[in-house]
Amino acid sequence: MRPGPAGGGAPPRGGAPPPPPPAPVAVDRFEGEVPFAAQPAEGIFTWGGDADDPPTLALAERADAPEGAKVLEGSYDISGYGGFSHDYAAAGPAHDWSAHKGVRFWWYGQNTAPLPPGSGKRISFEIKDGGAHGEASELWTTSFTDDWEGWHQVEIPFADFVYRTDYQPVGGIDQVLGLTEMWGYALTLPPGGPGTFALDGIELYGKADAALKASVVTDAAVHPVKQGGTAEIGLSVATTGSAPLEEPVTVSYTTKGGTAAAGTDYTPVTGTYTFPAGTASGTTHRVTVTTKKVTGAASAKTVPLELTVTGARPPKENPQVVIDAHGLPYQNAKLPVKQRVADLLARMSPAEKAGQMTQAERNALASQGDIAAYDLGSLLSGGGSVPTPNTPEAWAKMVDGYQLRAQATRFQIPLIYGVDAVHGHNNLVGATIMPHNVGLGATRDPKLAERTGAVTANEVRATGVPWDFAPCVCVSRDERWGRSYEAYGEDPALVKSLETVIQGMQGAASGKDLSRNDKVLATAKHYVGDGGTEYGSSTTGSYPIDQGVTKVTRQELEAVHLAPFEDAVKRGVGTVMPSYSSLDIIGDDRGPVKMHADAEMINGVLKDRMGFEGFVISDYKAIDQIPGDYASDVRTSINAGLDMIMVPTAYQEFTATLRDEVAAGRIPQSRIDDAVSRILTQKFRLGLFEKPYADTANLERIGSAEHRAVARQAAAESQVLLKNDGGVLPLKSSQKVYVAGSNADDIGNQAGGWTVSWQGSSGDITPGTTILSAMKKDAASVTYSEDASADTTGYDVGVVVVGETPYAEGVGDVGNGHDLELSAADKAAVDKVCAAMKCAVLIVSGRPQLIGDRLGAVDALVASWLPGTEGDGVADVLYGKRPFTGQLPVTWPRSVDQLPINVGDSSYDPQFPYGWGLTTLKKPPSGGELTLTALALAARLTEKAGLAHTEAGRALATQARLLVQQKAAGTFTEAFSKPFAEADHLALTGDLTAAMTQYRAAYRAA
């Protein structure tokens, strides 16, 4: 701080001196006033890319501390990313930093010799502005370099911070650094080697710059108008805290540059406007730009309005008027799609074609103007990449804002926006969350699967998103895989039977329904074999199995992994996504080949043999895993048949590289034209050229009672009753029930991964009904004690709800911090409750859990899978409102040593076989083998009549299964389990005759 004048003399000429800057305000002194803590409590906490990356921190007394007695010391050795944050309490008030110029702190330099400025290790410093709390705020970032030795005070003016574009936890709020609602800061430490640091005395300093307190904003960056129309551009002043302007703000404007011709296409405009001091924040001045009619067809033309601002921050970019393209054949909705595609393709430049083949993550955009600058064809929201607030209206507004930017391109080709809505619109808080696919596999209900797809499509399209990266039609062959719950099961016949979900999403296989406001483009993924990777074959980080190698014979590849994709193609699926994994076909001498590089499988099998007419979209940054440099990655993947690349961050590098490869002749022009034609075809079918913006007519149906009823039915039908000694289930409403277990009252655990965020999380993350709260609606008396610490005497029955916490992808691989065992707390709860009373144990999980050593003490056992937000569906079967009808979609192992274990294995002796599922629907048929003989005869006649896949055919198989299950009485041998599981598989294929033969073998072995 600069000292004031000495003594009490008269003020200098020109009036009173300016007021002194405000005194510094401490943010952190590191004397112990702020604890090390975990969110959401206020405190300092560490984070990192993996278990080793978070730094270690300590408050240490040091004689050389610049301020106070203690400093914050730390050590680190970061391979990915890591650092620490100080977040203010989520329940407490935000802080106001708007009166100050910037933030400063003392940093202990680690260099033993002076370095040129900017050459030391770089440390990122980030502040958290606005939003709900420190983990739901905008991130603004800058950095400094450690160029000195010993203590040095680093000063960072707030003007140096920029909006972070590579990652935002919740997406843009208003992208204005308001400074009135600050939630703390974060430091990201340098990776690549071990290091130490020391930090002290973080404080706010100086007086805020006037220009930081006011800004000029435009109502929109792009203003499309029809030829001859008039555009009005709103220029508004916005102030920190919405206070009136302290000083006047002047805006000079002129139409300048662009592709439109001044005087021919529009009337030039020039002027100046001043917002006087005292003007209210939000006041708007409008500038009118008039366009002219010109004869003939034309592409779109731009008219930028150049702004010069004095006294405030200018807009991030100048607004522009766009004179719409008109009169071109591709714009004629009456023409056949093929003709429209050919016309548009013939007009496009290499850059425009490259842009159409590019998909960027929305948060990776350096600016939204890059959508037009790079002619981007697609954006996506990765898991957890959401607007703020995370509401249906905000989603629609966000997507519309991106679509508006595409209108500034020559041909105004709309974006196709994609999301991973893998069990409902799962990124959206309040959406209807279905059971994960493994639960739908347990329903064995194709019509219900179609209805879940229709509900998901309705909710996704209502928010302006026309493309869903679902369904996963993989066949899960090893439950150690962290994605196993994304599969319908281990049997390709089961997976194929439930691909009706594609019709629910898209409608007719011809694509004629795609333009409806309740349909989306579906994606069959992950092509091919991602469910068959060998344990220990992955080379991705700490993943043991995800993204590994699938080693199969050609016959197994065709029968198990390719068959579901062939069915998806027949159903008209619009896009296919290759797998991160590699394919190693035994005997072809090629060795493992990354699927994103496998031309034989993509061009040869998928496109040529199967006749797939849609387009192939890469997985997230997946081409980077192809061996070779980046140019080789691009060349190899595109030549292998990929049509659009989910870059997702390096879109500038990708588009430039793609164009260079084509120009050099290493990618044929015909390959590019084929890819772009496929992409444009789906955009035309979706009706995006006519209606690029969100049709919000169905917004009110998102999370509606009607939609939740479908999810409730799916949750109920997904419940698999594995054991029910003494008829413990269904429960009676009159019973006094003791409920325990970690998953009884947790929506986040119930929904699993891919819910609101990529990995999902425990807790009350989205509206819904927990299993406990649903049970309370039906029971006269329910006592809940999560850890079973409450007294267990005096109850009729106990219900213990246990299982997994959320995970996704390779993070959930067994061996990567996960296993198939219940937690110690869950085991203790099962032991205590089941020792005290009759008990039912519900396992809420994405895969089987090892329960064998406790099975004898459990009266009833239910595989609840991940039922989603509608716990009412689980309560419906517990209390007999609906019968248990679910069947195991995967084999339930006795031990982890049995894995992988699947129906059809030569050796097959599981805890519960594939297809097992007791029912409370009705008593099974009596009569033993005589009844089986009669059912076999009826099955043969049904099969001959071509009705094997109808409800009548399925009913015969179900009758036989129930009869066999009753004979088994829960006692399993290999002689029983092997034919029993194979019978269920055969019934799904439509071979009822062979299924009945296997059921008879199982009956005799029981």
Side-chain angles (χ1 to χ4, degrees), residues 56 62 72-77 107-111 121 123 146 189-190 193-199:
T56 58
R62 285 179 55 151
L72 179 68
E73 289 184 345
S75 61
Y76 60 90
D77 188 358
W107 182 265
Y108 191 81
Q110 300 293 312
N111 294 307
K121 288 185 176 181
I123 298 97
D146 184 358
L189 298 166
T196 61
F197 72 91
L199 176 72

Side-chain angles (χ1 to χ4, degrees), residues 37 146 211 224 267 285 303 322 334 403 411 413 436 459 479 484 489 534 549 579 584 635 651 675 691 731 737 883:
D146 184 358
T267 302
H285 173 70
V303 186
V322 177
K334 295 181 180 179
Q403 285 288 16
F411 300 115
I413 303 173
H436 268 295
E459 297 196 2
E479 281 64 58
S484 58
E534 287 189 350
V549 179
S579 174
D584 186 0
R635 175 171 66 251
Y651 57 91
K691 293 183 178 180
L731 303 172
V737 183

Side-chain angles (χ1 to χ4, degrees), residues 378 416-419 421 456-457 460-461 465-471 501-502 504-511 513-516 518-524 572-576 612-617 644 678-686 688:
S378 182
I416 179 169
Y417 199 99
V419 296
T456 298
V460 169
R461 192 68 182 258
V465 177
W467 185 13
D468 187 358
F469 305 134
V501 70
I502 294 171
M505 290 179 174
Q506 292 194 167
S510 65
D513 298 324
L514 283 172
S515 61
R516 284 171 37 176
D518 63 347
K519 296 300 176 189
V520 295
L521 198 68
T523 306
V573 72
T575 61
V576 168
F612 175 60
E613 295 181 350
F615 68 88
V616 179
I617 170 71
M644 181 184 286
R678 289 169 177 269
I679 295 163
L680 293 177
T681 295
Q682 299 302 341
K683 289 187 176 185
F684 280 118
R685 285 180 172 176
L686 285 162
L688 295 176

Side-chain angles (χ1 to χ4, degrees), residues 196-405:
T196 61
F197 72 91
L199 176 72
D200 199 17
I202 300 181
E203 66 182 14
L204 307 176
Y205 75 95
K207 180 182 178 182
D209 296 338
L212 282 177
K213 289 191 171 185
S215 57
V216 172
V217 296
T218 59
D219 53 354
V222 178
H223 295 260
V225 293
K226 294 187 181 301
Q227 185 191 34
T230 298
E232 281 199 349
I233 300 174
L235 307 176
S236 304
V237 286
T239 62
T240 299
S242 298
L245 285 179
E246 295 180 2
E247 303 289 342
V249 172
T250 299
V251 183
S252 299
Y253 51 86
T254 183
T255 49
K256 184 178 180 181
T259 58
T264 301
D265 295 314
Y266 68 96
T267 302
V269 175
T270 299
T272 299
Y273 183 82
T274 297
F275 296 92
T279 298
S281 179
T283 300
T284 300
H285 173 70
R286 299 196 176 278
V287 176
T288 300
V289 178
T290 302
T291 69
K292 298 184 176 184
K293 281 198 171 183
V294 180
T295 58
S299 58
K301 298 177 181 178
T302 57
V303 186
L305 186 68
E306 186 175 281
L307 304 178
T308 303
V309 178
T310 304
R313 276 186 175 179
K316 293 181 180 179
E317 58 184 305
N318 290 322
Q320 59 182 324
V321 175
V322 177
I323 305 171
D324 288 339
H326 55 276
L328 299 171
Y330 76 85
Q331 296 178 295
N332 185 353
K334 295 181 180 179
L335 293 178
V337 167
K338 189 172 183 179
Q339 188 175 337
R340 298 178 75 183
V341 169
D343 176 73
L344 179 52
L345 183 69
R347 299 175 187 278
M348 295 171 67
S349 68
E352 287 163 333
K353 291 176 181 179
Q356 285 302 301
M357 296 172 67
T358 306
Q359 183 180 67
E361 217 295 332
R362 55 176 285 271
N363 274 329
L365 293 173
S367 74
Q368 291 192 20
D370 279 0
I371 292 171
Y374 291 89
D375 295 289
L376 297 181
S378 182
L379 293 180
L380 83 147
S381 278
S385 178
V386 300
T388 299
N390 188 357
T391 63
E393 294 79 7
W395 270 91
K397 183 179 179 182
M398 176 186 74
V399 177
D400 282 357
Y402 295 133
Q403 285 288 16
L404 180 63
R405 296 299 188 133

Side-chain angles (χ1 to χ4, degrees), residues 38-53:
Q39 299 161 324
E42 178 177 2
I44 298 168
F45 60 94
T46 62
W47 37 265
D50 58 41
D52 298 327
D53 282 355

Side-chain angles (χ1 to χ4, degrees), residues 151-165:
W151 288 108
H152 181 89
Q153 192 170 46
V154 180
E155 287 193 348
I156 306 176
F158 290 130
D160 287 357
F161 286 90
V162 296
Y163 182 79
R164 187 171 170 183
T165 57

Side-chain angles (χ1 to χ4, degrees), residues 723-906:
K723 180 181 179 182
N724 194 26
D725 287 359
V728 170
L729 297 177
L731 303 172
K732 299 178 180 63
S733 295
S734 59
Q735 288 177 308
K736 192 174 181 182
V737 183
Y738 186 102
V739 180
S742 60
N743 285 348
D745 196 30
D746 195 305
I747 281 287
N749 291 355
Q750 213 173 275
W754 290 108
T755 310
V756 181
S757 62
W758 173 40
Q759 291 293 317
S761 58
S762 301
D764 189 17
I765 61 174
T766 191
T769 307
T770 67
I771 295 171
L772 174 67
S773 61
M775 290 179 66
K776 286 181 176 179
K777 300 176 185 177
D778 293 306
S781 173
V782 170
T783 296
Y784 175 55
S785 175
E786 180 177 335
D787 60 358
S789 58
D791 186 11
T792 56
T793 58
Y795 292 93
D796 298 311
V797 65
V799 176
V800 191
V801 189
V802 296
E804 295 184 305
T805 54
Y807 53 80
E809 300 195 36
V811 176
D813 285 354
V814 168
N816 192 22
H818 294 265
D819 54 38
L820 299 182
E821 298 282 348
L822 299 179
S823 69
D826 277 347
K827 288 177 180 178
V830 170
D831 292 345
K832 184 173 182 181
V833 174
C834 292
M837 66 193 82
K838 290 183 177 180
C839 72
V841 173
L842 277 62
I843 300 179
V844 174
S845 64
R847 52 197 170 191
Q849 303 291 283
L850 301 176
I851 192 76
D853 55 349
R854 285 173 170 75
L855 189 58
V858 173
D859 298 295
L861 180 64
V862 179
S864 288
W865 308 113
L866 298 170
T869 52
E870 305 314 298
D872 283 322
V874 181
D876 285 344
V877 293
L878 289 179
Y879 281 92
K881 290 182 178 179
R882 288 180 178 270
F884 278 95
T885 57
Q887 296 175 244
L888 283 180
V890 296
T891 300
W892 198 283
R894 296 182 186 275
S895 71
V896 73
D897 295 334
Q898 284 190 312
L899 295 175
I901 182 171
N902 295 288
V903 56
D905 287 355
S906 57

Side-chain angles (χ1 to χ4, degrees), residues 721 724 883-885 917-924 961-962 965:
L721 184 57
N724 194 26
F884 278 95
T885 57
L918 303 175
T919 185
T920 52
L921 176 63
K922 57 183 178 181
K923 290 184 179 179
R961 179 176 59 83
L962 295 179
Q965 285 184 164

